[in-house]
Amino acid sequence: MIELKHLKTLTVLRATGSLTATANSLYLTQSALSHQLKDLEQRLGSQLFLRKTRPVRFTTEGKVLLDLADKVLPKIQAAEQELANSKHQTTGRLQMAIECHSCFQWLMPALKQYQALWPDVTVDFLSGFSFDPIPALAKGELDLVITADIQPRHEIHYEPLFDFEMCLIVAPQSPLATKSHIVATDLIDQTLLSYPIQRNRLDIVKHFLQPAGIEPLEWKQADNSLMLIQMVSAGMGVAALPNWAVDNFVRQGLIISKPLGKGLWRRLFAAVRASEYKHHYLNAFFATARQQCQQHLQGIKTISPNKTPLID
């Protein structure tokens, strides 16, 4: 029934003492101002001020609203100022979780450049292997999560960074090395190497094997990308990794990279709390990450920051 514009109008009317001056201060026509005040009085069923006095005299009901305005409007103004300041702040905390060790290849140079530009932002990170980081982000235990695994939540904003292709890497001597692309049934008799995370969180499982109802012969785990690549090169199994993470090793002839089906493309995001994603220091991180990736990663596709995210 009572809106902020009504409270603001009444405080201006008290300050100016006349309807004409109030209309001018609020950039309204006198007709529009009169309509607003009459509408409010009709809603309340009470007259708020005496119109033929100069300066205007407020009724008891009008004084009640003025008391309310004096309490509410300063709090609204303070909150608006705090929100505005937070968007422009140069200090902050980035407690990060990275769900894929392959990200370190571009993340470390990006962080080095970022911290040179934003020295007052404290940056720390940990692996996302041992826990589910998105709930931790929502609770405030983390500030940013690098992930390709979207868990739609209204309090989380997923900022797109780039698109990449998940490929299957095999040893040069593997029979799979001669295939033009990999189908799910090719992995029935294979040892699949992966990071130590739940299998249902792996892209190759969620988007390639599971839809086909296929389970590999055996599973083995390794803690980082380099170890996975070395194990594949030694013929100990096959692994699914981003195209940009294996490009250098493919060019050296240590491994062979093959498309999964017609191409398993994924999107990498920086997940942050929705209430904070417009903060300048976070947007600076998004921009720095995109710049580093565009300059140094092979085979990725750049995307617009406003691109609608892929939802699993």
Side-chain angles (χ1 to χ4, degrees):
M1 182 179 295
I2 302 171
E3 302 176 25
L4 287 177
K5 68 178 181 180
H6 297 141
L7 299 181
K8 292 177 181 178
T9 297
L10 291 176
T11 58
V12 173
L13 180 58
R14 179 179 60 186
T16 62
S18 76
L19 291 173
T20 301
T22 298
N24 292 335
S25 296
L26 295 175
Y27 299 99
L28 295 174
T29 64
Q30 289 196 46
S31 175
L33 176 61
S34 295
H35 177 77
Q36 180 191 131
L37 292 171
K38 286 180 181 179
D39 178 63
L40 177 59
E41 288 178 328
Q42 288 175 356
R43 294 188 195 184
L44 297 174
S46 301
Q47 187 176 358
L48 299 177
F49 60 94
L50 304 179
R51 284 167 171 76
K52 294 185 179 180
T53 60
R54 187 175 296 272
V56 296
R57 289 170 54 192
F58 288 88
T59 64
T60 300
E61 292 81 1
K63 291 177 181 178
V64 169
L65 290 189
L66 284 172
D67 288 341
L68 177 63
D70 291 339
K71 295 175 182 177
V72 171
L73 294 180
K75 292 183 178 181
I76 296 293
Q77 185 178 15
E80 290 175 341
Q81 186 62 51
E82 183 176 350
L83 291 171
N85 290 342
S86 69
K87 291 178 183 179
H88 294 83
Q89 64 187 27
T90 59
T91 61
R93 183 193 75 165
L94 273 185
Q95 181 77 15
M96 305 171 59
I98 303 109
E99 289 203 293
C100 175
H101 274 178
S102 302
C103 293
F104 282 96
Q105 181 174 333
W106 61 265
L107 184 59
M108 293 302 102
L111 283 178
K112 182 178 180 180
Q113 179 180 345
Y114 175 75
Q115 289 191 289
L117 298 173
W118 294 80
D120 294 327
V121 176
T122 303
V123 178
D124 196 7
F125 57 87
L126 48 90
S127 169
F129 288 163
S130 58
F131 68 102
D132 191 350
I134 297 300
L137 174 64
K139 293 177 183 177
E141 297 168 3
L142 294 170
D143 304 301
L144 187 147
V145 177
I146 302 295
T147 183
D149 185 16
I150 281 187
Q151 300 176 31
R153 301 175 61 136
H154 72 276
E155 69 268 45
I156 301 298
H157 169 79
Y158 291 89
E159 183 73 14
L161 299 178
F162 61 86
D163 289 350
F164 64 95
E165 184 181 9
M166 289 294 294
C167 300
L168 191 78
I169 57 171
V170 303
Q173 66 273 20
S174 168
L176 297 180
T178 61
K179 295 179 64 71
S180 61
H181 65 279
I182 303 298
V183 296
T185 53
D186 289 331
L187 302 183
I188 289 178
D189 59 351
Q190 296 293 317
T191 296
L192 188 58
L193 309 173
S194 70
Y195 298 117
I197 63 175
Q198 295 176 343
R199 294 175 188 175
N200 60 7
R201 292 175 61 191
L202 294 169
D203 285 333
I204 191 172
V205 173
K206 290 175 61 177
H207 306 288
F208 190 69
L209 294 177
Q210 209 169 58
I214 298 297
E215 179 75 15
L217 178 65
E218 188 178 0
W219 290 87
K220 289 184 180 179
Q221 296 181 335
D223 289 333
N224 58 69
S225 301
L226 182 58
M227 187 178 297
L228 285 174
I229 292 169
Q230 290 174 336
M231 292 173 70
V232 169
S233 182
M236 299 174 64
V238 300
L241 288 173
N243 54 355
W244 48 267
V246 302
D247 176 71
N248 185 47
F249 302 96
V250 170
R251 285 189 279 107
Q252 295 179 51
L254 298 176
I255 53 174
I256 302 294
S257 175
K258 295 293 177 179
L260 289 163
K262 296 180 180 180
L264 178 56
W265 282 86
R266 303 290 293 145
R267 180 162 294 165
L268 197 68
F269 299 89
V272 298
R273 284 180 289 280
S275 61
E276 300 176 0
Y277 82 96
K278 291 185 178 180
H279 287 183
H280 279 203
Y281 72 90
L282 285 175
N283 277 270
F285 174 82
F286 303 151
T288 302
R290 289 193 190 97
Q291 180 188 39
Q292 283 289 321
C293 295
Q294 292 170 13
Q295 289 180 352
H296 301 295
L297 300 185
Q298 298 295 319
I300 68 169
K301 295 179 180 178
T302 57
I303 52 179
S304 166
N306 296 320
K307 187 85 170 178
T308 301
L310 295 176
I311 302 296
D312 290 334

PDB file of all heavy atoms in Angstrom, residues 231-248:
ATOM      1  N   MET A 231      50.896 -42.296 -17.920  1.00  0.00           N
ATOM      2  CA  MET A 231      50.346 -43.646 -17.829  1.00  0.00           C
ATOM      3  C   MET A 231      49.759 -44.089 -19.167  1.00  0.00           C
ATOM      4  O   MET A 231      49.931 -45.238 -19.584  1.00  0.00           O
ATOM      5  CB  MET A 231      49.289 -43.704 -16.728  1.00  0.00           C
ATOM      6  CG  MET A 231      49.850 -43.541 -15.318  1.00  0.00           C
ATOM      7  SD  MET A 231      48.572 -43.403 -14.037  1.00  0.00           S
ATOM      8  CE  MET A 231      47.918 -45.085 -14.041  1.00  0.00           C
ATOM      9  N   VAL A 232      49.070 -43.173 -19.854  1.00  0.00           N
ATOM     10  CA  VAL A 232      48.529 -43.503 -21.175  1.00  0.00           C
ATOM     11  C   VAL A 232      49.661 -43.785 -22.150  1.00  0.00           C
ATOM     12  O   VAL A 232      49.627 -44.761 -22.914  1.00  0.00           O
ATOM     13  CB  VAL A 232      47.639 -42.355 -21.694  1.00  0.00           C
ATOM     14  CG1 VAL A 232      47.295 -42.578 -23.171  1.00  0.00           C
ATOM     15  CG2 VAL A 232      46.377 -42.251 -20.862  1.00  0.00           C
ATOM     16  N   SER A 233      50.682 -42.940 -22.139  1.00  0.00           N
ATOM     17  CA  SER A 233      51.814 -43.128 -23.040  1.00  0.00           C
ATOM     18  C   SER A 233      52.499 -44.477 -22.824  1.00  0.00           C
ATOM     19  O   SER A 233      52.998 -45.095 -23.772  1.00  0.00           O
ATOM     20  CB  SER A 233      52.823 -41.990 -22.850  1.00  0.00           C
ATOM     21  OG  SER A 233      53.908 -42.112 -23.734  1.00  0.00           O
ATOM     22  N   ALA A 234      52.486 -44.945 -21.568  1.00  0.00           N
ATOM     23  CA  ALA A 234      53.105 -46.228 -21.237  1.00  0.00           C
ATOM     24  C   ALA A 234      52.192 -47.413 -21.535  1.00  0.00           C
ATOM     25  O   ALA A 234      52.565 -48.562 -21.267  1.00  0.00           O
ATOM     26  CB  ALA A 234      53.506 -46.235 -19.767  1.00  0.00           C
ATOM     27  N   GLY A 235      51.011 -47.168 -22.058  1.00  0.00           N
ATOM     28  CA  GLY A 235      50.102 -48.254 -22.401  1.00  0.00           C
ATOM     29  C   GLY A 235      49.332 -48.819 -21.227  1.00  0.00           C
ATOM     30  O   GLY A 235      48.822 -49.940 -21.301  1.00  0.00           O
ATOM     31  N   MET A 236      49.198 -48.041 -20.161  1.00  0.00           N
ATOM     32  CA  MET A 236      48.520 -48.540 -18.964  1.00  0.00           C
ATOM     33  C   MET A 236      47.012 -48.284 -18.996  1.00  0.00           C
ATOM     34  O   MET A 236      46.295 -48.691 -18.079  1.00  0.00           O
ATOM     35  CB  MET A 236      49.132 -47.886 -17.726  1.00  0.00           C
ATOM     36  CG  MET A 236      50.610 -48.180 -17.540  1.00  0.00           C
ATOM     37  SD  MET A 236      51.353 -47.256 -16.162  1.00  0.00           S
ATOM     38  CE  MET A 236      50.451 -47.950 -14.781  1.00  0.00           C
ATOM     39  N   GLY A 237      46.531 -47.634 -20.018  1.00  0.00           N
ATOM     40  CA  GLY A 237      45.110 -47.353 -20.130  1.00  0.00           C
ATOM     41  C   GLY A 237      44.857 -46.174 -21.034  1.00  0.00           C
ATOM     42  O   GLY A 237      45.776 -45.672 -21.709  1.00  0.00           O
ATOM     43  N   VAL A 238      43.607 -45.733 -21.070  1.00  0.00           N
ATOM     44  CA  VAL A 238      43.208 -44.573 -21.867  1.00  0.00           C
ATOM     45  C   VAL A 238      42.593 -43.546 -20.911  1.00  0.00           C
ATOM     46  O   VAL A 238      42.192 -43.884 -19.796  1.00  0.00           O
ATOM     47  CB  VAL A 238      42.208 -44.955 -22.978  1.00  0.00           C
ATOM     48  CG1 VAL A 238      42.831 -45.972 -23.926  1.00  0.00           C
ATOM     49  CG2 VAL A 238      40.918 -45.520 -22.373  1.00  0.00           C
ATOM     50  N   ALA A 239      42.510 -42.294 -21.357  1.00  0.00           N
ATOM     51  CA  ALA A 239      41.963 -41.245 -20.496  1.00  0.00           C
ATOM     52  C   ALA A 239      41.268 -40.192 -21.341  1.00  0.00           C
ATOM     53  O   ALA A 239      41.627 -39.975 -22.507  1.00  0.00           O
ATOM     54  CB  ALA A 239      43.063 -40.599 -19.658  1.00  0.00           C
ATOM     55  N   ALA A 240      40.269 -39.546 -20.748  1.00  0.00           N
ATOM     56  CA  ALA A 240      39.576 -38.436 -21.404  1.00  0.00           C
ATOM     57  C   ALA A 240      40.041 -37.133 -20.776  1.00  0.00           C
ATOM     58  O   ALA A 240      39.898 -36.934 -19.571  1.00  0.00           O
ATOM     59  CB  ALA A 240      38.064 -38.589 -21.254  1.00  0.00           C
ATOM     60  N   LEU A 241      40.625 -36.259 -21.604  1.00  0.00           N
ATOM     61  CA  LEU A 241      41.146 -34.981 -21.123  1.00  0.00           C
ATOM     62  C   LEU A 241      40.774 -33.874 -22.114  1.00  0.00           C
ATOM     63  O   LEU A 241      40.499 -34.155 -23.290  1.00  0.00           O
ATOM     64  CB  LEU A 241      42.665 -35.036 -20.960  1.00  0.00           C
ATOM     65  CG  LEU A 241      43.214 -35.868 -19.797  1.00  0.00           C
ATOM     66  CD1 LEU A 241      44.729 -35.947 -19.880  1.00  0.00           C
ATOM     67  CD2 LEU A 241      42.784 -35.280 -18.461  1.00  0.00           C
ATOM     68  N   PRO A 242      40.787 -32.620 -21.683  1.00  0.00           N
ATOM     69  CA  PRO A 242      40.506 -31.515 -22.607  1.00  0.00           C
ATOM     70  C   PRO A 242      41.541 -31.437 -23.722  1.00  0.00           C
ATOM     71  O   PRO A 242      42.720 -31.722 -23.519  1.00  0.00           O
ATOM     72  CB  PRO A 242      40.592 -30.277 -21.703  1.00  0.00           C
ATOM     73  CG  PRO A 242      40.374 -30.783 -20.323  1.00  0.00           C
ATOM     74  CD  PRO A 242      40.971 -32.149 -20.293  1.00  0.00           C
ATOM     75  N   ASN A 243      41.096 -31.017 -24.893  1.00  0.00           N
ATOM     76  CA  ASN A 243      42.004 -30.946 -26.040  1.00  0.00           C
ATOM     77  C   ASN A 243      43.202 -30.050 -25.770  1.00  0.00           C
ATOM     78  O   ASN A 243      44.327 -30.355 -26.146  1.00  0.00           O
ATOM     79  CB  ASN A 243      41.245 -30.489 -27.296  1.00  0.00           C
ATOM     80  CG  ASN A 243      40.485 -29.182 -27.103  1.00  0.00           C
ATOM     81  OD1 ASN A 243      40.413 -28.619 -26.005  1.00  0.00           O
ATOM     82  ND2 ASN A 243      39.903 -28.680 -28.185  1.00  0.00           N
ATOM     83  N   TRP A 244      42.990 -28.917 -25.082  1.00  0.00           N
ATOM     84  CA  TRP A 244      44.080 -27.990 -24.851  1.00  0.00           C
ATOM     85  C   TRP A 244      45.098 -28.518 -23.849  1.00  0.00           C
ATOM     86  O   TRP A 244      46.246 -28.095 -23.853  1.00  0.00           O
ATOM     87  CB  TRP A 244      43.544 -26.643 -24.370  1.00  0.00           C
ATOM     88  CG  TRP A 244      42.538 -26.716 -23.266  1.00  0.00           C
ATOM     89  CD1 TRP A 244      41.181 -26.750 -23.406  1.00  0.00           C
ATOM     90  CD2 TRP A 244      42.792 -26.783 -21.863  1.00  0.00           C
ATOM     91  NE1 TRP A 244      40.576 -26.828 -22.178  1.00  0.00           N
ATOM     92  CE2 TRP A 244      41.539 -26.846 -21.210  1.00  0.00           C
ATOM     93  CE3 TRP A 244      43.963 -26.786 -21.096  1.00  0.00           C
ATOM     94  CZ2 TRP A 244      41.418 -26.923 -19.831  1.00  0.00           C
ATOM     95  CZ3 TRP A 244      43.845 -26.856 -19.717  1.00  0.00           C
ATOM     96  CH2 TRP A 244      42.583 -26.925 -19.101  1.00  0.00           C
ATOM     97  N   ALA A 245      44.677 -29.465 -23.012  1.00  0.00           N
ATOM     98  CA  ALA A 245      45.593 -30.000 -22.003  1.00  0.00           C
ATOM     99  C   ALA A 245      46.571 -31.021 -22.583  1.00  0.00           C
ATOM    100  O   ALA A 245      47.616 -31.288 -21.990  1.00  0.00           O
ATOM    101  CB  ALA A 245      44.807 -30.641 -20.860  1.00  0.00           C
ATOM    102  N   VAL A 246      46.227 -31.592 -23.741  1.00  0.00           N
ATOM    103  CA  VAL A 246      47.058 -32.669 -24.297  1.00  0.00           C
ATOM    104  C   VAL A 246      47.744 -32.273 -25.592  1.00  0.00           C
ATOM    105  O   VAL A 246      48.553 -33.044 -26.132  1.00  0.00           O
ATOM    106  CB  VAL A 246      46.207 -33.941 -24.534  1.00  0.00           C
ATOM    107  CG1 VAL A 246      45.557 -34.393 -23.232  1.00  0.00           C
ATOM    108  CG2 VAL A 246      45.127 -33.701 -25.595  1.00  0.00           C
ATOM    109  N   ASP A 247      47.445 -31.083 -26.096  1.00  0.00           N
ATOM    110  CA  ASP A 247      47.940 -30.682 -27.414  1.00  0.00           C
ATOM    111  C   ASP A 247      49.459 -30.810 -27.539  1.00  0.00           C
ATOM    112  O   ASP A 247      49.971 -31.358 -28.523  1.00  0.00           O
ATOM    113  CB  ASP A 247      47.509 -29.241 -27.697  1.00  0.00           C
ATOM    114  CG  ASP A 247      48.059 -28.715 -29.004  1.00  0.00           C
ATOM    115  OD1 ASP A 247      47.601 -29.157 -30.060  1.00  0.00           O
ATOM    116  OD2 ASP A 247      48.968 -27.854 -28.951  1.00  0.00           O
ATOM    117  N   ASN A 248      50.204 -30.330 -26.559  1.00  0.00           N
ATOM    118  CA  ASN A 248      51.665 -30.353 -26.621  1.00  0.00           C
ATOM    119  C   ASN A 248      52.211 -31.781 -26.658  1.00  0.00           C
ATOM    120  O   ASN A 248      53.162 -32.089 -27.393  1.00  0.00           O
ATOM    121  CB  ASN A 248      52.249 -29.603 -25.416  1.00  0.00           C
ATOM    122  CG  ASN A 248      53.750 -29.477 -25.484  1.00  0.00           C
ATOM    123  OD1 ASN A 248      54.311 -29.106 -26.509  1.00  0.00           O
ATOM    124  ND2 ASN A 248      54.415 -29.795 -24.382  1.00  0.00           N
TER     125      ASN A 248
END
